[in-house]
Amino acid sequence: MKLAIDETRCKGCNLCTKICPYKIFKEGKKPNRKGTVVPELDRPERCTNCRLRNLYGRQLCGVCQLTCPDQAIHWTEEEPYELHKVAIEY
Amino acid sequence: MSYEDWFRQDRLPHIYCAGCGNGTIINCTLAAVDEMGWKKEETIFVSGIGCSSRAPGYILTDSLHTTHGRALAFATGVKMANPDLHVVVFTGDGDLAAIGGNHFIHACRRNIDLTVVCMNNQIYGMTGGQGSPTTPKGCLSSTTPYGCTEIPFDLCELATAAGANYVSRWTSYHVKELEKAVKVGLETPGFSFIEALVQCPTAFGRRNKFRQVTDHVEYLKVHSLLKAKRDRMLEAGEKIPEDMYVVGELTKRSRPAMGVKP
Ligand SMILES: Cc1ncc(C[n+]2csc(CCOP(=O)(O)OP(=O)(O)O)c2C)c(N)n1
Ligand code: SF4
Ligand code: SF4
Ligand SMILES: [Mg+2]
C-alpha cells in the first residue's frame, strides 16, 4: 500500500507530524496553490500499514488517518512491481 | 468496508477550522459504528446546534440537525417511535450542558438507549468563543476576559449521578481508546455517554496560549490521568492535581433501560 495526503483536503494543522510513531510526516516548507503548507512524507515505505496491510488482510496502526481532522490521509493500492528493461546508452 | 464509506464525500472538506478536533471525533465514532456492522438505513445521527453539531451533515445516513440544546429530546422521539433504529447523538459542551442541561440529566435518568458523543472544547466555538459551563477556571474567553472564575461541570460525573449506564472520557489524542469506548457505548443497552475533550484552535486555543494546534493536543495528552492510576493514587492517599482530566471507562452498569426491545 502507498500512503498519501489528499492536498485538496489537508488544512495544514500538522497533527499528523505529532502522532506518527515512525515520524513519517514532516512539517512542509512551501505553501501549495491553496496556500496550505501540506506536510511532507519522509520515507513512507516504513509505515506499518504500507508494508503489512495486504499480508495481514486488515488495517494496521492507522492513527494518522483517525487523527487527521480533515480526512486527508489514505492509502492506495500499489501497482505490482514490474521488471524494467534497462537501456544502456554508450 | 471501512469508516470512510460513511462520509458524504461530496460534502468534504468540511467547514471546521484547520486543526479543529471535531473532525477527529467524527472519524473515531464512525470507525466504531462501522465495526458494529450496522446498516446505514438503520442508523440515525442526531445533533443540536454548534460546530460539533454540524457532524451529522457529513454522514451518509439519515440525520436530524435540530434546535440548540434539544438533540436529546429529538433523539428520544426517534428511539421511542422506532426502537429498531440505532440512534447516535453528536453534541457540544454548550449544547449539552448549558441550554440542553435538563434534557441531558433526564435522558440519563430515563436511561434511554442512545449513544451520546460530546465534543467538549470547553467553549462556545460557533458563536465566537463565549465561556461555557465547562470552561476551566482561569481560562480566557470572550465573556471571561480576565479568566473564568466559576467551577466547571464534570460532565461524566453528572451523567453517572443522573443514572447513565455507560460513561467514559477520552481526548482527541487518544483516538484508538476513544474508538473502543464509543464501540462499548454502542453495544451497551441504555444511555451511553462518551465525553471527548477536543481542541478548538480558533476560539479557545488562540486565547489560551496554545499557539499551535499540536501544543493543545500535547496539553490534553499530559493532563490526562488514567482512571486506574487515579484509583491507585486515591488508595495511597495522594492528592489528585486539579488540572488533570480523569480518562477511561468511568461507569459501566446495567440499570433498567428505556427503548430497548425485550
Ligand atoms: C436557542 C438558541 N440560543 C442560542 C443560540 C446561539 N448559539 C449557536 S451555537 C451556540 C453555542 C454552541 O456551543 P457548543 O455546543 O459548545 O458547540 P461548539 O461550537 O463549541 O462545538 C450558541 C449559544 C442558538 N443558535 N439558539
Ligand atoms: S493531520 Fe491531516 S489536515 Fe492536518 S496536516 Fe496532517 S494531513 Fe493535513
Ligand atoms: S470555531 Fe472552534 S469548534 Fe468551531 S470549527 Fe473552529 S476550531 Fe472547531
Ligand atoms: Mg463547545
Side-chain angles (χ1 to χ4, degrees):
Chain A
M1 304 291 275
K2 196 162 176 262
L3 181 65
I5 298 180
D6 184 344
E7 289 217 10
T8 61
R9 289 201 182 160
C10 172
K11 291 179 187 158
C13 66
N14 282 326
L15 279 174
C16 48
T17 63
K18 179 179 165 54
I19 44 88
C20 173
Y22 291 94
K23 301 259 178 290
I24 284 173
F25 302 86
K26 294 270 179 255
E27 251 180 69
K29 289 181 197 84
K30 272 205 298 283
N32 68 2
R33 217 162 40 86
K34 280 169 58 185
T36 307
V37 184
V38 179
E40 289 163 6
L41 301 180
D42 174 22
R43 291 165 288 154
E45 60 279 6
R46 292 178 296 147
C47 157
T48 336
N49 197 49
C50 292
R51 286 185 283 124
L52 302 171
R53 148 106 238 190
N54 287 341
L55 184 67
Y56 281 59
R58 63 178 171 88
Q59 168 86 47
L60 293 143
C61 183
V63 282
C64 57
Q65 194 186 30
L66 272 184
T67 302
C68 174
D70 291 282
Q71 293 79 35
I73 299 174
H74 56 98
W75 285 270
T76 50
E77 209 58 66
E78 262 179 307
E79 306 270 305
Y81 179 71
E82 274 174 37
L83 288 174
H84 291 278
K85 227 184 183 158
V86 184
I88 301 169
E89 288 176 26
Y90 294 100
Chain B
M1 221 170 76
S2 91
Y3 78 89
E4 288 167 279
D5 303 332
W6 289 75
F7 278 105
R8 286 172 71 173
Q9 299 291 343
D10 57 321
R11 291 299 218 109
L12 296 176
H14 48 59
I15 63 149
Y16 297 144
C17 308
C20 173
N22 292 349
T24 308
I25 310 307
I26 302 176
N27 292 345
C28 299
T29 307
L30 289 183
V33 169
D34 185 61
E35 270 176 51
M36 296 298 288
W38 290 343
K39 287 202 194 103
K40 295 200 176 70
E41 305 81 61
E42 291 169 357
T43 312
I44 310 283
F45 291 89
V46 185
S47 70
I49 296 291
C51 296
S52 35
S53 296
R54 289 188 56 91
Y58 300 110
I59 303 173
L60 259 179
T61 67
D62 284 339
S63 59
L64 286 172
H65 188 184
T66 71
T67 48
H68 195 28
R70 314 292 174 228
L72 287 172
F74 283 84
T76 306
V78 173
K79 189 72 191 175
M80 296 319 286
N82 186 355
D84 288 331
L85 295 175
H86 308 294
V87 186
V88 183
V89 178
F90 282 116
T91 182
D93 49 322
D95 198 50
L96 185 80
I99 190 167
N102 245 316
H103 294 294
F104 180 40
I105 53 177
H106 289 288
C108 292
R109 174 182 63 80
R110 288 172 171 154
N111 209 9
I112 312 165
D113 189 22
L114 307 172
T115 302
V116 178
V117 180
C118 176
M119 308 177 195
N120 181 3
N121 53 11
Q122 308 176 317
I123 201 100
Y124 287 177
M126 178 168 268
T127 44
Q130 294 83 358
S132 86
T134 56
T135 304
K137 251 184 157 176
C139 284
L140 303 188
S141 70
S142 63
T143 48
T144 57
Y146 303 106
C148 184
T149 52
E150 298 167 9
I151 299 163
F153 255 149
D154 184 327
L155 299 180
C156 288
E157 298 221 325
L158 188 63
T160 304
N165 254 358
Y166 178 78
V167 179
S168 74
R169 182 194 284 121
W170 290 103
T171 77
S172 54
Y173 175 77
H174 303 94
V175 284
K176 290 274 178 188
E177 293 88 341
L178 181 65
E179 181 191 325
K180 279 195 201 111
V182 176
K183 176 133 188 283
V184 179
L186 296 170
E187 285 165 348
T188 311
F191 196 88
S192 307
F193 177 66
I194 297 102
E195 175 183 355
L197 287 161
V198 295
Q199 70 279 11
C200 165
T202 305
F204 189 89
R206 185 165 55 89
R207 290 194 181 84
N208 290 286
K209 299 207 181 77
F210 297 119
R211 305 287 312 258
Q212 301 293 330
V213 179
T214 42
D215 296 346
H216 197 170
V217 175
E218 178 67 26
Y219 179 90
L220 291 176
K221 176 187 166 189
V222 299
H223 285 80
S224 298
L225 179 65
L226 280 174
K227 178 179 178 280
K229 185 165 179 206
R230 196 261 324 247
D231 293 346
R232 260 180 286 150
M233 285 171 77
L234 283 179
E235 241 169 60
E238 286 171 51
K239 210 172 158 279
I240 314 287
E242 250 185 45
D243 58 349
M244 296 296 272
Y245 299 102
V246 181
V247 298
E249 188 174 282
L250 304 172
T251 306
K252 195 168 192 304
R253 56 191 170 189
S254 41
R255 290 177 67 244
M258 190 169 142
V260 185
K261 277 212 156 168

